[in-house]
Every structure is written in structure tokens, then in C-alpha cells.
Amino acid sequence: MTATYQSVDVPFEYRHTCWFCGEPYFESFAFTPSPNYDHQKLPVLLPSCQECYGICKGVKASDLELLRDKVKEQLHRKYQKHLQIGVNWTKEELEQSEFEGKALEGFRESAWKMFEIAKARVNYNGWPLTIDGLPIAALSTSFHVQFDGITYTSLSHAVEQLAKSYNIPQEYLEEVVEVVGRDRLAYAIRFAKTTYGYSVAERTASIDSLKALLAEEAALAIPETSKAKGVDVNVGDIAELILHRTMIPPHATQWVLKQGIKTLNQLAEQEDAFFEHFGADSELTAFTYFTAMQIYLEHRELEPEWAEHQDPNRQWFDKL
């Protein structure tokens, strides 16, 4: 009897599992490349859940790698709101929220689980594909991008989804990412969230200022000969002040003093550490604090007389 298809090997621990997303098995999808550049003669049967099976039926792909990525992209789009829960909330914030009403209480109880399920599905890596023990395809993930614990099939896919999640115009975020590079997505999002404006002129001005800032950072990238020694000051001894209509929070000032930071350049070097410290509780808080410190340190640099005689925290900065 002549074979009409090829079944992939399924490891024991993955039986009854969708190869695309890890959900329970529904049916095997018979994949034939389109266009069929490699002249594949028989379709390959891929174990699929009901949803991924339906997606595959509507997708044309020239190889298994492209098919996998197209399925992942469809799952991302369908469950974008579920994935966005992880952008807007932490598990602890949801548990401690005081939602009232049956619908909102239901959201509090189920939201994080919905996020975890969607995240697990888009991040899932199927087992290596073989037929009778022989590999049939070397699937690469070299173009995949991971941000905030979620995997995207490419940089353009990441920008598309993140623009929706953070309510940033996609074209503008693309421009910012092109300037800062794929390795600084978090920086690009923080910049774009606060500078995109509402006109072409404002966006162009923001991009120009970003390019100038990065050029300045590159010029100042020479390691400092000596690192300032930090001082540990009780937060109650640090004065709260307002500069350019921005409140300068004592907790952020305390962290800056403890790290021995007194210039914008030093703050830029410690940016990742800053967001790791304050972002554990809330990304919004970390972003607000970082912006405040930029304003504070810039004012001290541009107004040395004020820094020396009027800054209420000058006694602490003098010790750095």
C-alpha cells in the first residue's frame, strides 16, 4: 500500500499535545508547502489543537518554520487583550484590587490565569521534528525577539504587538526602534510613550532629539576614572521638591545618592538597575521616578549656583 502522508514522531511525554502551542490534541494538520520550493512529495502530519488546526487551514507557508511563526502571530493577535493583562497588572496587584460587582470580581479571579495561558501558548516550543528518527527540518528561532517574558516571531512582529499594548502609534515606535536598536526595546517604549505627540512635526522633533541624545551618550561612553562613592541617607532626611512642575520623590533621590550618582551620564549608565529596582512593583512608578531624576540631575548640571546654594539636598550630594 502506497503511503499518502508522513507522520512526525511524537515523544511519549508529548502525546495528545499540540505541536504549535502545547494545548490538548484535536487533529493532525496535513502540511504541504505552498509554494513547494523543495518539491515535498507527501504532506507532513502535525499534531494540533482545535484552534491551531483551524489557523493552519487558512495559512500558506513555504516551510514548517514559517508555518509555525504564522500560527504564533495569529495567536498573538487573537489573545492580545489577554497578554496585555501582564502589561497593565502584576499578579499581586490583581489579587489586592478592590473590584466591585460580579463582572469585575470575575475579572480579578480569572485575569491572571488567562494571561498565563496565553503567554504559555505563544512561548511554547514544540519538540524537534523527526520522522522514523530522522530530522525533517532544522527550525530556527534566531529572528525571534523576547520582551518582558513574551516571545515574538520577529522584531517587526514585536513592534506591531507592543505598539498596540502600550497604545503607541506603530509607525512612530518603528522609527524609535530603528534609532535605538532591537536590543533596547524597553528604552524605545519608554521614550515613545512620552514623546510621540500628536503631529508629524512633534514626532520628527522627538526622533531628532533622540538621535542627539544617543550621539551624546556615545561621546560620553568613555569609562570614568573613578566612581563616586555613594551615601546611604534615611529617606526621611531627604527633601521633597518640585522642579518644572515635576515632583522629585525622596525614594528615587535616596536610590540615586546610594549609587553615588550625581550626573545625567551616571544615571544613564545605571538605567537598567534603576528600572529593575523600582519596576518590581510598578513599571509606571519606575518610569515616573526615572523621569523625575533626569529632570533633577539636569537642573543641577545646568544651574550650578542653584545646586550649590539652593538645592535642599545639597548636603547629601556634596558627599558624593
Side-chain angles (χ1 to χ4, degrees):
M1 184 175 179
T2 304
T4 56
Y5 57 83
Q6 305 174 87
S7 295
V8 300
D9 301 328
V10 180
F12 181 80
E13 64 270 25
Y14 292 111
R15 67 195 189 283
H16 311 308
T17 300
C18 174
W19 178 75
F20 295 96
C21 73
E23 285 287 286
Y25 172 82
F26 166 73
E27 183 65 83
S28 288
F29 174 71
F31 172 68
T32 300
S34 177
N36 193 352
Y37 296 121
D38 295 329
H39 307 291
Q40 179 180 312
K41 295 180 180 180
L42 299 176
V44 174
L45 295 183
L46 300 168
S48 310
C49 66
Q50 186 169 4
E51 187 169 16
C52 290
Y53 181 82
I55 293 173
C56 288
K57 289 178 67 176
V59 166
K60 289 185 177 182
S62 58
D63 56 42
L64 286 166
E65 185 176 311
L66 188 57
L67 175 69
R68 174 203 63 191
D69 287 353
K70 285 190 173 184
V71 171
K72 295 290 190 181
E73 289 169 7
Q74 292 278 14
L75 291 175
H76 262 280
R77 294 187 182 102
K78 182 170 182 179
Y79 295 102
Q80 184 208 342
K81 290 185 178 179
H82 292 189
L83 294 170
Q84 196 166 351
I85 291 170
V87 173
N88 297 327
W89 302 86
T90 65
K91 184 178 181 180
E92 291 71 24
E93 286 173 340
L94 279 171
E95 291 174 347
Q96 296 169 11
S97 62
E98 298 180 356
F99 290 135
E100 295 182 357
K102 185 173 293 185
L104 291 177
E105 288 178 358
F107 173 78
R108 180 185 61 193
E109 294 171 0
S110 63
W112 193 256
K113 186 64 176 178
M114 291 191 299
F115 164 69
E116 288 184 323
I117 292 173
K119 179 181 176 181
R121 293 184 72 188
V122 299
N123 284 356
Y124 183 78
N125 285 319
W127 59 91
L129 293 179
T130 61
I131 295 178
D132 296 330
L134 299 176
I136 61 171
L139 304 185
S140 172
T141 58
S142 58
F143 291 104
H144 287 188
V145 173
Q146 190 172 78
F147 179 78
D148 205 16
I150 295 176
T151 301
Y152 302 88
T153 62
S154 64
L155 181 60
S156 61
H157 177 230
V159 170
E160 174 194 337
Q161 294 302 115
L162 292 171
K164 294 176 183 176
S165 296
Y166 289 94
N167 197 27
I168 301 169
Q170 182 176 334
E171 290 184 1
Y172 181 62
L173 183 56
E174 288 172 352
E175 288 186 75
V176 176
V177 171
E178 185 176 351
V179 172
V180 305
R182 65 183 288 152
D183 295 329
R184 302 185 71 181
L185 272 179
Y187 181 95
I189 290 171
R190 290 195 297 269
F191 183 90
K193 278 170 65 177
T194 56
T195 61
Y196 68 80
Y198 297 97
S199 70
V200 175
E202 287 175 323
R203 294 179 189 178
T204 301
S206 296
I207 291 292
D208 289 342
S209 68
L210 176 60
K211 290 178 179 177
L213 176 63
L214 293 177
E216 183 179 350
E217 285 183 0
L220 296 173
I222 303 173
E224 297 186 13
T225 55
S226 61
K227 182 180 178 181
K229 185 178 180 181
V231 292
D232 195 357
V233 184
N234 190 299
V235 71
D237 295 328
I238 298 174
E240 179 180 288
L241 62 152
I242 296 178
L243 293 173
H244 306 292
R245 299 183 180 181
T246 300
M247 193 271 287
I248 309 301
H251 284 92
T253 304
Q254 180 191 43
W255 188 90
V256 163
L257 290 168
K258 192 171 184 178
Q259 307 307 311
I261 295 172
K262 56 182 178 181
T263 68
L264 274 174
N265 186 40
Q266 290 174 324
L267 180 64
E269 292 175 354
Q270 296 283 345
E271 179 179 351
D272 290 343
F274 187 99
F275 277 92
E276 183 178 351
H277 179 79
F278 289 106
D281 296 324
S282 167
E283 181 184 349
L284 178 60
T285 298
F287 181 79
T288 303
Y289 280 12
F290 190 79
T291 300
M293 288 301 98
Q294 286 180 311
I295 292 172
Y296 190 10
L297 295 176
E298 181 179 42
H299 191 75
R300 286 182 54 83
E301 289 182 13
L302 296 178
E303 301 291 341
E305 288 292 325
W306 178 88
E308 185 176 352
H309 301 292
Q310 297 179 21
D311 183 355
N313 295 312
R314 60 188 180 276
Q315 60 177 317
W316 310 123
F317 281 100
D318 287 343
K319 295 182 177 182
L320 299 181

